[in-house]
Amino acid sequence: MNPDVSTSSLFEVRRRFRRLRMIVDLTANLIENDHSMSHREARSLVTCAEKAILELVPSYGRKYNVCVRPYFERILRDRWPAEESMIQAGELVN
C-alpha cells in the first residue's frame, strides 16, 4: 500500500465509485422500466446522469464516453428503436 494514500482517502474513492455505479444503475433502471417516460425525457435523464457523474468524478470523462455512454445509448435504442437515440449535449426537459 502506498504510504501517501490514507485509509480515509481510499474510503472516499470507493464511496465516489459506489455513487457513480448507483447513478448508472438507477438511470438505466428508470429508462427501462418507466413506461410513461418519453424518449426526450430519457435522453434528458441521461444528460443529467452524465453531469452528476462528471461532477462526482471529474477524471472519469474518457471512461464515461467509452463505457457508460454506449451503455445508455443501447438502452435508448432498445426501448425506442424508431427514434434517433444519440444523446444531444445540453438538451434538457424542464
Side-chain angles (χ1 to χ4, degrees):
M1 183 173 180
N2 185 344
D4 295 334
V5 179
S6 71
T7 303
S8 63
S9 66
L10 288 174
F11 175 79
E12 178 65 22
V13 168
R14 284 190 297 250
R15 185 183 65 81
R16 286 177 182 263
F17 279 97
R18 277 194 312 271
R19 286 186 178 179
L20 184 151
R21 184 76 241 168
M22 185 177 64
I23 292 168
V24 171
D25 290 344
L26 180 60
T27 302
N29 192 322
L30 283 169
I31 292 170
E32 290 173 330
N33 296 311
D34 183 352
H35 297 290
S36 67
M37 182 179 294
S38 72
H39 182 253
R40 184 172 178 217
E41 290 169 327
R43 285 188 322 206
S44 179
L45 185 63
V46 168
T47 301
C48 291
E50 177 182 8
K51 182 180 176 190
I53 288 168
L54 295 179
E55 285 177 4
L56 187 62
V57 185
S59 63
Y60 202 74
R62 185 174 186 291
K63 265 195 169 180
Y64 178 88
N65 288 324
V66 170
C67 300
V68 180
R69 181 184 304 271
Y71 174 63
F72 285 148
E73 288 176 353
R74 182 187 55 78
I75 293 170
L76 291 170
R77 265 192 320 273
D78 289 349
R79 174 90 190 272
W80 292 278
E83 296 287 335
E84 175 59 40
S85 293
M86 201 60 194
I87 301 161
Q88 302 297 322
E91 182 178 325
L92 297 176
V93 175
N94 291 329

